[in-house]
Amino acid sequence: QVQLVESGGGLVQPGGSLRLFCTASGAIDELSAIGWFRQAPGKEREGVACLSRHDGFTTYADSVRGRFTIASSNRKNLVYLQMNNLREGDTAKYYCASDNAAISCMGLRSAGIDYWGRGIQVTVSS
């Protein structure tokens, strides 16, 4: 089993920056990829970014590419999402997600994700 816990969310003004953290515990050696999804009220959950633990490859949704960066720290169980130039459209609940096979996460597809965090709110507003 793997447990994922998000932290770092909150309220930020448009154009501001925020960093989200995902801490994984348990059988983390099973994980091939760790990433982030988000869901706004009334909308479907969408993939944001994913990081391959095997080769370090990353993938991003078109809506965030160039503004968001996913990376791992020196701690193998800690992954962060640096969000810059935030827009009101980025407002959503953000979920850390992991995938044993990496296919779903790297494809930014919710189906097939093996583990989910509880989620953390990010609100971008003036």
Side-chain angles (χ1 to χ4, degrees), residues 1-5 23-28 77:
Q1 287 187 306
V2 172
Q3 296 80 43
L4 304 174
V5 179
T23 302
S25 61
I28 59 175
N77 67 330

Side-chain angles (χ1 to χ4, degrees), residues 65-85:
R65 187 175 293 110
R67 299 188 297 120
F68 291 11
T69 301
I70 186 170
S72 61
S73 72
N74 290 330
R75 294 175 56 192
K76 294 292 292 184
N77 67 330
L78 179 63
V79 173
Y80 67 83
L81 181 69
Q82 179 66 44
M83 303 182 292
N84 297 326
N85 193 23

Side-chain angles (χ1 to χ4, degrees), residues 7-41:
S7 61
L11 175 66
V12 65
Q13 294 184 346
S17 297
L18 202 65
R19 181 176 288 192
L20 303 181
F21 301 87
C22 176
T23 302
S25 61
I28 59 175
D29 288 345
E30 299 177 357
L31 306 179
S32 294
I34 300 178
W36 293 90
F37 291 69
R38 67 185 183 186
Q39 187 168 22

Side-chain angles (χ1 to χ4, degrees), residues 51-113:
L51 169 69
S52 170
R53 296 184 69 244
H54 177 68
D55 53 22
F57 288 169
T58 59
T59 188
Y60 297 92
D62 290 342
S63 60
V64 308
R65 187 175 293 110
R67 299 188 297 120
F68 291 11
T69 301
I70 186 170
S72 61
S73 72
N74 290 330
R75 294 175 56 192
K76 294 292 292 184
N77 67 330
L78 179 63
V79 173
Y80 67 83
L81 181 69
Q82 179 66 44
M83 303 182 292
N84 297 326
N85 193 23
L86 284 161
R87 308 164 180 168
E88 291 187 355
D90 295 318
T91 295
K93 193 169 186 178
Y94 284 70
Y95 298 86
C96 186
S98 63
D99 185 353
N100 290 344
I103 296 174
S104 294
C105 186
M106 295 301 292
L108 302 179
R109 297 169 54 248
S110 296
I113 292 293

